[in-house]
């Protein structure tokens, strides 16, 4: 059977071009196309592709938000115009099997990358590889990331938050609304509100600003604040 591919990109011209290119190879078949991360997840569950080609920037649920959910279902190859080092690094940490920047690969490169990512062999175009190397060679960045992870772990233990509550609290602290959090986590707004009520109770907070202050360490647990 041909290797089945799902394409997720908000640009219909890009999707059509990729589909035409992939179908020139008899061992590859495009089984579905998605315009955003939410549709990509839904179609991946429905079609069970062998590989997902995923753009980074899409309206609604973007590629980075969808990535940790998609990699549980299929190998994911990032295929995007986004070249930023932190985006490349985050995509790889979240489980992407490779990162190709448009304009830096040939048709043969793409076909080879799709087959290899399916087999667990990573592929990177020059900009993505350089960005990754630059990140690895910056000790201060590593130290900051370790420090942030340590602080989040300490906070989750100190306040008794579950891993899902930690995820939602981080999104609250980043300034997201309930609707945005629901989209990012693939859950309903009602479920988000339920999580927030439990988070506020554990953080002894009554407002978003007060909860953020406690979570980020600018207020001590058990101390009443105003927000």
């Amino acid at each position: 059977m041909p290797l089945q591919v799902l394409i997720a990109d908000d640009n219909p011209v890009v999707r059509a071009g990729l589909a035409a290119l992939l179908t020139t190879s008899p061992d590859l078949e495009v089984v579905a196309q998605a315009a955003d991360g939410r549709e990509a997840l839904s179609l991946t569950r429905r079609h069970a592709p062998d590989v997902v080609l995923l753009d980074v920037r899409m309206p609604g649920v973007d590629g980075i938000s969808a990535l940790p959910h998609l990699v549980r279902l299929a190998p994911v190859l990032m295929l995007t115009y986004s070249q930023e080092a932190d985006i490349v690094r985050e995509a790889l940490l979240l489980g992407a099997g490779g990162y190709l920047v448009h304009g830096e690969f040939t048709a043969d490169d793409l076909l080879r990358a799709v087959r290899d990512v399916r087999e667990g062999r990573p592929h990177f175009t020059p900009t993505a590889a350089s960005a990754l190397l630059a990140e690895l060679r910056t000790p201060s960045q590593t130290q900051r990331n370790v420090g942030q992870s340590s602080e989040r772990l300490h906070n989750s233990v100190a306040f008794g938050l579950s891993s899902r509550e930690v995820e939602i609290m981080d999104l609250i602290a980043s300034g997201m609304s309930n609707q945005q959090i629901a989209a990012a986590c693939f859950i309903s707004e009602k479920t988000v509100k339920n999580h927030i009520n439990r988070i506020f109770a554990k953080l002894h907070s009554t407002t978003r600003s007060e909860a953020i202050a406690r979570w980020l360490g600018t207020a001590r647990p058990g101390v009443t604040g105003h927000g």
Side-chain angles (χ1 to χ4, degrees), residues 41-59:
L41 183 62
S42 173
L43 291 174
T44 297
R45 285 174 174 155
R46 186 186 310 167
H47 295 281
D50 297 301
V51 176
V52 175
L53 300 185
L54 183 65
D55 189 18
V56 169
R57 291 191 170 90
M58 295 182 285

